Amino acid sequence: MNEVIEMMKTRRSIRKFKPDALPDEIIEQIAEAGTYAATGKNLQSPTIIAVTNKQLRDRISEMNRKIGGWQEGFDPFYGAPAMLIVLADKNVPTAVYDGSLVMGNLMLAAHSLGVGSIWIHRAKEEFESEEGKAILAELGITGDQVGIGHCALGYIDGEEPKAASRKENWVYYAK
Ligand SMILES: Cc1cc2nc3c(=O)[nH]c(=O)nc-3n(C[C@H](O)[C@H](O)[C@H](O)COP(=O)(O)O)c2cc1C
C-alpha cells in the first residue's frame, strides 16, 4: 500500500505515554509538517506552540482538567511529555478549518516518525480564559487567537490500539 495512505490508516489516538522526552529534532519535524497544511487563501492563519517545558505542560494540563470537569489528579494528556498547541487567527474565516488540518498533519507526521499522538480538545476554552491569554502574552503571541487543539506527543507505552470498524455508508459514490 502507498506509504502515506498506510500511515493514515494505521494512526491511532494514544492514551498511555512513556515519560521519556522526545528529541528536539523530532518535535521540530512534526511541527514543520504542520506548517505545510493547506490553508484558506494561503493565509496560514494557524500558529503552533511546541510545549516541552514540564511546568507549562502541567499548567496547561491542569487548566484542561478543570475545563473538562475531571477529578483532581487526572491528566487529560495521559502522561505525554510534549504537546503542540494549535491556535488560529480568529479574524480569518477559515481559522478552524485551517487549524484542524494542521492538527491532522501533526498526528500523521508523528505516527510516521514512530511517535504516539492524540488530539486533546478544549483549547478554545483554555485560550478564552484569562490564564490562557496570560500564557500567550508570556510567550509573546499576539493577535486574536482561537484555540483549535493540542496534539499530545510521546512514545507509546504499551500496545498501539487497533482502529474501530468503519461505519456503514461512509462514502457515497455518485458516478
Ligand atoms: C476534534 C477532536 C477532539 C478530540 N478530543 C479528545 C480529548 O479531549 N481526549 C481524548 O482522549 N481524545 C480526544 N480525541 C480523540 C478521539 O477520541 C479519537 O480520534 C477517536 O476515538 C478515534 O480514534 P482514533 O483517533 O484512534 O482513530 C479527539 C479527536 C478529535 C478529532
Side-chain angles (χ1 to χ4, degrees):
M1 197 191 302
N2 166 294
E3 232 179 286
V4 176
I5 295 174
E6 173 78 13
M7 287 298 116
M8 289 171 169
K9 291 179 75 173
T10 55
R11 176 215 56 82
R12 297 278 67 81
S13 293
I14 301 306
R15 293 192 174 82
K16 198 168 177 215
F17 293 93
K18 292 182 179 166
D20 316 43
L22 296 167
D24 285 349
E25 59 271 24
I26 292 285
I27 292 179
E28 285 160 16
Q29 275 188 72
I30 296 169
E32 189 188 25
T35 71
Y36 280 85
T39 59
K41 294 188 176 167
N42 191 30
L43 287 174
Q44 302 184 31
S45 69
T47 298
I48 300 170
I49 310 174
V51 180
T52 48
N53 175 290
K54 181 154 167 47
Q55 216 179 349
L56 181 58
R57 177 251 180 254
D58 290 348
R59 186 173 164 197
I60 290 168
S61 168
E62 188 58 9
M63 285 170 70
N64 201 285
R65 178 190 73 75
K66 286 184 183 155
I67 295 165
W70 288 289
Q71 66 198 31
E72 218 169 305
F74 176 70
D75 173 16
F77 291 84
Y78 307 106
M83 66 175 85
L84 298 179
I85 304 172
V86 177
L87 309 159
D89 180 346
K90 228 184 244 178
N91 300 310
V92 172
T94 54
V96 175
Y97 308 99
D98 296 344
S100 300
L101 202 52
V102 171
M103 288 291 294
N105 271 24
L106 297 178
M107 293 188 287
L108 284 176
H111 180 48
S112 75
L113 294 168
V115 173
S117 74
I118 183 167
W119 179 321
I120 301 299
H121 215 44
R122 297 163 292 283
K124 182 173 185 291
E125 295 85 343
E126 259 171 45
F127 293 100
E128 275 169 353
S129 73
E130 288 313 310
E131 189 175 1
K133 286 181 188 157
I135 291 173
L136 297 186
E138 282 164 30
L139 294 169
I141 297 169
T142 55
D144 289 340
Q145 303 288 341
V146 56
I148 306 296
H150 317 71
C151 179
L153 295 172
Y155 293 117
I156 303 170
D157 187 358
E159 290 291 296
E160 232 172 317
K162 296 264 176 293
S165 58
R166 301 292 97 182
K167 69 174 184 181
E168 297 281 311
N169 303 329
W170 247 108
V171 185
Y172 287 83
Y173 293 94
K175 294 188 180 173

